[in-house]
Amino acid sequence: MSLDLIAVRQQVEQIARDAGALVLERFHQPLNIEFKHRHDVVTDADKASEALIVAALMDAYPTHHLVGEEGGGQGAPADEAEYFWYIDPIDGTANYASGIPTFTVSIGLGDRDDNALVGVVYQPTADELFSAAKGHGATLNGQPIHVRHTPDINDAMLGIGSPFGAKAAHYSEVATGVRGVRGFGSAALHLAWVASGRLDGFFESGISRWDVWGGMCVVEEAGGVVTDYRGERSPKMLNGEAFLACTPGIHAELRRRLAPLSP
Ligand code: LIP
């Protein structure tokens, strides 16, 4: 059954705003912080946000499969579903738990062929909602957005994830000879800012589907390119490994610089 992607986008925008209002209200209150791993935290706000989003999506789309960062696979069985939701209830949880205001709610819709159909990224502290539906463009608070025209890497502002371990050296190689490098701690926010022309590119490895599926559609509908480090739309990239999103003018140069990092 085909979906009315415009209607789905509008509905998911409201769900993201509702979840954003919840996490924003709790942002200023004492948080219950738990450790998934020693350096990976989750708060009660993450869980409450995901519960709100999952309940709304399951009510509206009972035949769809959902994958949430905190609750894992939910809804209709994955082997029966035609559509798949990837939910990050707070992308940038470490920021959120530390009182840093760069965090987002990220919700993405894909089909069985891993086409990005709808994406919504909402930053509650800025009240900025980025959204897109395949074939219908990308917007920021309802106004059209497009990637910046940046043909020369020397003029590029790049967003990066957490460079660590053996890859830190490579990150520094990639991030030389550019206008600037910034890390805001939320993949979805980086992607939204690539789509709106605030950043010219973003790359990171070792993240997850739920981190990137809300922003991926927004970047693609804003005229950006989303591939792995070798320029392919690979399963690894769709799962948040070797993930690269940028304005087309610097894609070839970023691929050349990132190739040594490719897993
Ligand atoms: C975050 C990502 C970010 C990465 C962080 C973390 P989370 O997702 O959005 O790009 O650098 O380590 O994985 O865990 O806050 O949803």
Side-chain angles (χ1 to χ4, degrees):
M1 178 186 82
S2 65
L3 290 174
D4 176 348
L5 296 182
I6 293 175
V8 171
R9 174 190 191 175
Q10 288 172 342
Q11 183 174 29
V12 178
E13 285 182 352
Q14 188 55 55
I15 294 171
R17 284 192 176 279
D18 294 344
L22 181 155
V23 300
L24 186 62
E25 180 187 357
R26 296 186 184 209
F27 184 52
H28 303 296
Q29 297 169 4
L31 286 172
N32 175 39
I33 298 174
E34 297 173 18
F35 292 87
K36 292 194 275 191
H37 308 291
R38 185 60 189 88
H39 299 113
D40 189 3
V41 298
V42 60
T43 74
D44 49 5
D46 291 85
K47 296 175 182 176
S49 173
E50 184 163 315
L52 182 153
I53 296 166
V54 165
L57 290 177
M58 285 176 74
D59 180 57
Y61 307 106
T63 61
H64 294 187
H65 184 70
L66 291 70
V67 179
E69 176 171 10
E70 311 313 336
Q74 304 166 69
D79 59 359
E80 297 172 10
E82 192 177 349
Y83 296 100
F84 300 78
W85 292 96
Y86 304 104
I87 302 158
D88 196 334
I90 300 177
D91 189 52
T93 296
N95 290 348
Y96 185 84
S98 304
I100 298 168
T102 49
F103 54 87
T104 59
V105 174
S106 177
I107 304 171
L109 174 66
D111 62 17
R112 294 198 73 87
D113 297 323
D114 271 338
N115 294 300
L117 301 177
V118 172
V120 175
V121 176
Y122 180 50
Q123 185 187 4
T125 49
D127 192 25
E128 290 194 326
L129 188 139
F130 303 81
S131 83
K134 187 173 179 64
H136 299 284
T139 56
L140 164 53
N141 291 348
Q143 296 304 308
I145 54 175
H146 198 273
V147 296
R148 183 163 46 208
H149 175 64
T150 305
D152 185 340
I153 190 95
N154 290 284
D155 301 321
M157 285 292 286
L158 299 180
I160 63 168
S162 316
F164 47 79
K167 294 183 179 179
H170 284 302
Y171 271 80
S172 59
E173 286 164 20
V174 176
T176 52
V178 297
R179 175 171 296 171
V181 178
R182 302 289 185 272
F184 295 100
S186 165
L189 187 63
H190 286 129
L191 292 171
W193 286 3
V194 169
S196 53
R198 296 173 182 171
L199 293 173
D200 299 293
F202 163 66
F203 62 92
E204 186 167 8
S205 209
I207 44 181
S208 302
R209 268 190 185 237
W210 48 72
D211 293 313
V212 299
W213 266 75
M216 183 160 64
C217 185
V218 181
V219 171
E220 291 177 332
E221 286 300 311
V225 182
V226 183
T227 69
D228 62 17
Y229 289 179
R230 298 189 186 280
E232 302 297 323
R233 190 181 175 83
S234 62
K236 278 184 182 282
M237 159 265 186
L238 294 164
N239 286 321
E241 277 299 325
F243 189 91
L244 167 62
C246 63
T247 183
I250 58 173
H251 188 234
E253 175 57 18
L254 279 177
R255 284 199 334 261
R256 186 190 67 77
R257 296 185 185 193
L258 285 165
L261 271 167
S262 188

Coordinates of all heavy atoms in Angstrom, one line a residue, residues 15-27 29-34 36 42-57 68-71 74 87-91 93 96 104-105 107:
I15 N 4.4 14.9 15.7 CA 4.9 13.9 16.7 C 6.3 14.4 17.2 O 6.5 14.3 18.5 CB 5.0 12.5 16.1 CG1 3.6 12.0 15.8 CG2 5.7 11.6 17.0 CD1 3.6 10.7 14.9
A16 N 7.1 14.8 16.3 CA 8.5 15.3 16.7 C 8.4 16.5 17.6 O 9.1 16.7 18.6 CB 9.3 15.6 15.5
R17 N 7.5 17.4 17.3 CA 7.3 18.6 18.2 C 6.8 18.2 19.6 O 7.2 18.8 20.6 CB 6.3 19.6 17.5 CG 6.9 20.4 16.4 CD 6.0 21.5 15.9 NE 6.6 22.4 14.9 CZ 7.6 23.3 15.1 NH1 8.0 23.5 16.4 NH2 8.1 24.0 14.1
D18 N 5.8 17.3 19.6 CA 5.3 16.8 20.9 C 6.4 16.2 21.7 O 6.6 16.4 22.9 CB 4.2 15.8 20.7 CG 2.9 16.4 20.0 OD1 2.9 17.7 20.0 OD2 2.1 15.7 19.5
A19 N 7.2 15.3 21.1 CA 8.4 14.7 21.8 C 9.4 15.8 22.2 O 9.9 15.7 23.3 CB 9.0 13.6 20.9
G20 N 9.6 16.8 21.3 CA 10.5 17.8 21.7 C 10.1 18.6 22.8 O 10.9 19.0 23.7
A21 N 8.8 18.9 22.9 CA 8.3 19.7 24.1 C 8.5 18.9 25.4 O 8.9 19.5 26.4 CB 6.8 19.9 23.9
L22 N 8.3 17.6 25.3 CA 8.5 16.7 26.5 C 10.0 16.8 26.9 O 10.3 17.1 28.1 CB 8.1 15.3 26.2 CG 8.2 14.2 27.3 CD1 7.3 13.1 27.0 CD2 9.6 13.7 27.4
V23 N 10.9 16.6 26.0 CA 12.3 16.6 26.4 C 12.8 18.0 26.9 O 13.7 18.1 27.7 CB 13.3 16.0 25.3 CG1 12.9 14.6 25.0 CG2 13.2 16.8 24.1
L24 N 12.3 19.0 26.2 CA 12.7 20.4 26.6 C 12.2 20.7 28.0 O 12.9 21.2 28.8 CB 12.1 21.4 25.6 CG 12.5 22.8 25.8 CD1 14.0 23.0 25.6 CD2 11.8 23.7 24.8
E25 N 11.0 20.3 28.4 CA 10.5 20.5 29.7 C 11.4 19.8 30.8 O 11.7 20.4 31.8 CB 9.0 20.0 29.8 CG 8.4 20.2 31.2 CD 7.0 19.6 31.3 OE1 6.6 19.0 30.3 OE2 6.5 19.6 32.4
R26 N 11.8 18.6 30.4 CA 12.6 17.8 31.4 C 14.1 18.3 31.4 O 14.8 18.0 32.3 CB 12.5 16.3 31.1 CG 11.1 15.8 31.3 CD 11.0 14.3 31.1 NE 9.7 13.8 31.2 CZ 9.4 12.5 31.6 NH1 10.4 11.7 32.0 NH2 8.2 12.1 31.7
F27 N 14.5 19.0 30.3 CA 15.9 19.5 30.2 C 16.3 20.3 31.4 O 17.4 20.4 31.8 CB 16.0 20.2 28.9 CG 17.4 20.7 28.6 CD1 18.5 19.8 28.6 CD2 17.7 22.0 28.2 CE1 19.8 20.2 28.3 CE2 19.0 22.4 27.9 CZ 20.0 21.5 27.9
Q29 N 15.0 20.1 34.4 CA 14.7 19.4 35.7 C 15.8 18.4 36.0 O 16.6 18.0 35.2 CB 13.4 18.7 35.6 CG 12.2 19.6 35.3 CD 10.9 18.8 34.9 OE1 10.9 17.6 35.0 NE2 9.8 19.6 34.6
P30 N 15.9 18.0 37.3 CA 16.9 16.9 37.6 C 16.6 15.7 36.8 O 15.4 15.2 36.6 CB 16.6 16.7 39.1 CG 15.9 17.9 39.6 CD 15.1 18.4 38.5
L31 N 17.7 15.1 36.2 CA 17.5 13.9 35.4 C 17.9 12.6 36.1 O 18.8 12.6 36.9 CB 18.4 14.1 34.1 CG 17.9 15.1 33.1 CD1 19.0 15.3 32.0 CD2 16.6 14.7 32.4
N32 N 17.2 11.6 35.7 CA 17.7 10.2 36.1 C 18.6 9.7 35.0 O 18.1 9.4 33.9 CB 16.5 9.3 36.4 CG 16.9 7.9 36.7 OD1 17.9 7.7 37.4 ND2 16.3 6.9 36.1
I33 N 19.9 9.6 35.3 CA 20.8 9.1 34.2 C 21.3 7.7 34.5 O 21.7 7.4 35.6 CB 22.0 10.1 34.2 CG1 21.6 11.5 33.8 CG2 23.1 9.6 33.2 CD1 22.7 12.6 33.9
E34 N 21.1 6.9 33.5 CA 21.6 5.5 33.6 C 22.7 5.3 32.5 O 22.9 6.0 31.6 CB 20.5 4.5 33.3 CG 19.3 4.6 34.3 CD 18.1 3.7 33.8 OE1 18.3 2.8 33.0 OE2 17.0 4.0 34.3
K36 N 24.2 2.8 29.7 CA 24.1 1.6 28.9 C 25.5 1.0 28.8 O 25.6 -0.2 28.8 CB 23.6 2.0 27.5 CG 22.2 2.5 27.5 CD 21.6 2.6 26.1 CE 21.9 3.9 25.4 NZ 21.1 4.1 24.1
V42 N 21.8 7.1 29.1 CA 20.4 7.3 28.7 C 19.7 7.9 29.9 O 20.0 7.6 31.1 CB 19.8 5.9 28.3 CG1 19.9 4.9 29.5 CG2 18.4 6.1 27.8
T43 N 18.7 8.8 29.6 CA 18.0 9.4 30.6 C 16.5 9.0 30.6 O 16.1 8.4 29.6 CB 18.0 11.0 30.5 OG1 17.2 11.3 29.4 CG2 19.5 11.4 30.2
D44 N 15.8 9.3 31.6 CA 14.4 9.0 31.6 C 13.7 9.8 30.6 O 12.6 9.4 30.0 CB 13.8 9.3 33.0 CG 14.1 10.7 33.6 OD1 14.8 11.5 32.8 OD2 13.8 11.0 34.7
A45 N 14.2 11.0 30.2 CA 13.6 11.7 29.1 C 13.7 11.0 27.7 O 12.8 11.0 26.9 CB 14.3 13.1 29.0
D46 N 14.9 10.3 27.5 CA 15.0 9.5 26.3 C 13.9 8.5 26.2 O 13.2 8.3 25.2 CB 16.3 8.8 26.3 CG 17.6 9.6 26.1 OD1 18.1 10.1 27.2 OD2 18.0 9.8 25.0
K47 N 13.7 7.8 27.3 CA 12.7 6.7 27.3 C 11.3 7.3 27.2 O 10.5 6.7 26.4 CB 12.8 5.9 28.6 CG 14.1 5.2 28.8 CD 14.3 4.5 30.1 CE 15.7 3.9 30.3 NZ 15.8 3.3 31.6
A48 N 11.0 8.4 27.8 CA 9.6 9.0 27.7 C 9.4 9.5 26.3 O 8.3 9.4 25.8 CB 9.5 10.1 28.8
S49 N 10.4 10.1 25.7 CA 10.3 10.6 24.4 C 10.0 9.5 23.4 O 9.1 9.5 22.5 CB 11.5 11.4 24.0 OG 11.5 11.7 22.6
E50 N 10.8 8.4 23.5 CA 10.6 7.3 22.6 C 9.2 6.6 22.8 O 8.5 6.3 21.9 CB 11.7 6.2 22.8 CG 11.5 5.1 21.8 CD 12.8 4.2 21.7 OE1 13.9 4.8 21.6 OE2 12.7 3.0 21.7
A51 N 8.7 6.6 24.1 CA 7.4 6.0 24.3 C 6.3 6.8 23.7 O 5.4 6.3 23.1 CB 7.2 5.9 25.8
L52 N 6.5 8.1 23.7 CA 5.5 9.0 23.1 C 5.5 8.8 21.5 O 4.4 8.6 20.9 CB 5.8 10.5 23.4 CG 4.9 11.5 22.8 CD1 4.9 12.8 23.8 CD2 5.2 12.0 21.4
I53 N 6.7 8.8 21.0 CA 6.8 8.6 19.5 C 6.3 7.3 19.1 O 5.5 7.1 18.1 CB 8.3 8.8 19.1 CG1 8.7 10.2 19.4 CG2 8.5 8.5 17.6 CD1 10.2 10.4 19.3
V54 N 6.7 6.2 19.7 CA 6.3 4.8 19.4 C 4.8 4.7 19.5 O 4.1 4.1 18.6 CB 7.0 3.8 20.3 CG1 6.4 2.4 20.1 CG2 8.5 3.7 19.9
A55 N 4.2 5.2 20.5 CA 2.7 5.1 20.7 C 2.0 5.8 19.5 O 1.1 5.2 19.0 CB 2.3 5.7 22.0
A56 N 2.5 6.9 19.2 CA 1.8 7.7 18.1 C 2.0 7.0 16.7 O 1.0 6.9 16.0 CB 2.4 9.1 18.0
L57 N 3.2 6.5 16.5 CA 3.4 5.8 15.2 C 2.7 4.5 15.1 O 2.2 4.1 14.1 CB 4.9 5.7 15.0 CG 5.7 6.9 14.7 CD1 7.2 6.6 14.6 CD2 5.2 7.7 13.4
G68 N 13.6 1.7 17.7 CA 14.0 2.8 18.5 C 15.3 2.6 19.2 O 15.7 1.4 19.5
E69 N 16.0 3.7 19.4 CA 17.3 3.5 20.1 C 17.2 2.8 21.4 O 18.1 2.0 21.8 CB 18.0 4.9 20.3 CG 19.4 4.7 21.0 CD 20.2 6.0 21.0 OE1 19.7 7.1 20.6 OE2 21.4 5.9 21.4
E70 N 16.2 3.2 22.2 CA 16.1 2.6 23.5 C 15.3 1.3 23.6 O 15.6 0.4 24.3 CB 15.4 3.6 24.5 CG 16.0 5.0 24.4 CD 17.6 5.0 24.5 OE1 18.2 4.1 25.0 OE2 18.1 6.0 23.9
G71 N 14.2 1.2 22.7 CA 13.4 0.0 22.8 C 13.6 -1.1 21.8 O 13.0 -2.1 21.8
Q74 N 10.1 -2.9 17.4 CA 8.7 -2.8 17.9 C 7.7 -2.8 16.8 O 8.1 -2.6 15.6 CB 8.6 -1.6 18.8 CG 9.6 -1.5 19.9 CD 9.6 -0.1 20.6 OE1 8.7 0.3 21.3 NE2 10.8 0.6 20.4
I87 N 14.0 5.6 15.0 CA 13.6 6.7 16.0 C 14.8 6.9 17.0 O 15.3 6.0 17.6 CB 12.4 6.2 16.8 CG1 11.2 6.0 15.9 CG2 12.1 7.3 17.9 CD1 10.2 5.1 16.6
D88 N 15.3 8.2 17.0 CA 16.2 8.6 18.0 C 15.5 9.6 18.9 O 15.4 10.7 18.5 CB 17.5 9.1 17.4 CG 18.6 9.2 18.5 OD1 18.3 9.2 19.7 OD2 19.8 9.1 18.1
P89 N 15.1 9.2 20.1 CA 14.2 10.1 20.9 C 14.9 11.3 21.4 O 14.3 12.4 21.6 CB 13.7 9.2 22.0 CG 14.8 8.1 22.1 CD 15.2 7.9 20.7
I90 N 16.2 11.2 21.7 CA 17.1 12.3 21.9 C 18.4 12.0 21.2 O 19.1 11.1 21.7 CB 17.3 12.6 23.4 CG1 16.0 12.9 24.1 CG2 18.3 13.8 23.6 CD1 16.2 13.2 25.6
D91 N 18.7 12.7 20.1 CA 20.0 12.5 19.5 C 20.9 13.6 20.0 O 20.7 14.7 19.8 CB 19.9 12.6 18.0 CG 21.1 12.2 17.3 OD1 21.7 11.1 17.6 OD2 21.7 12.9 16.5
T93 N 22.3 12.7 23.4 CA 21.9 12.4 24.8 C 23.0 12.9 25.8 O 22.7 13.4 26.8 CB 21.6 10.9 25.0 OG1 20.5 10.5 24.3 CG2 21.3 10.6 26.5
Y96 N 22.6 16.4 26.2 CA 21.3 16.6 27.0 C 21.6 16.4 28.5 O 21.3 17.2 29.3 CB 20.3 15.7 26.5 CG 18.9 15.9 27.1 CD1 18.0 16.8 26.7 CD2 18.5 15.1 28.2 CE1 16.7 17.0 27.2 CE2 17.2 15.2 28.8 CZ 16.4 16.2 28.3 OH 15.1 16.3 28.9
T104 N 18.5 16.8 19.5 CA 17.4 16.8 18.6 C 16.5 15.5 18.8 O 16.9 14.6 19.5 CB 17.9 16.7 17.1 OG1 18.7 15.5 17.0 CG2 18.7 17.9 16.7
V105 N 15.3 15.6 18.3 CA 14.5 14.4 18.1 C 14.6 14.0 16.7 O 14.4 14.9 15.8 CB 13.0 14.7 18.5 CG1 12.1 13.5 18.2 CG2 12.9 15.1 20.0
I107 N 13.4 11.3 13.6 CA 12.5 10.3 13.1 C 12.6 10.1 11.6 O 12.5 11.1 10.9 CB 11.0 10.6 13.5 CG1 10.9 10.9 15.0 CG2 10.1 9.4 13.1 CD1 9.5 11.4 15.4

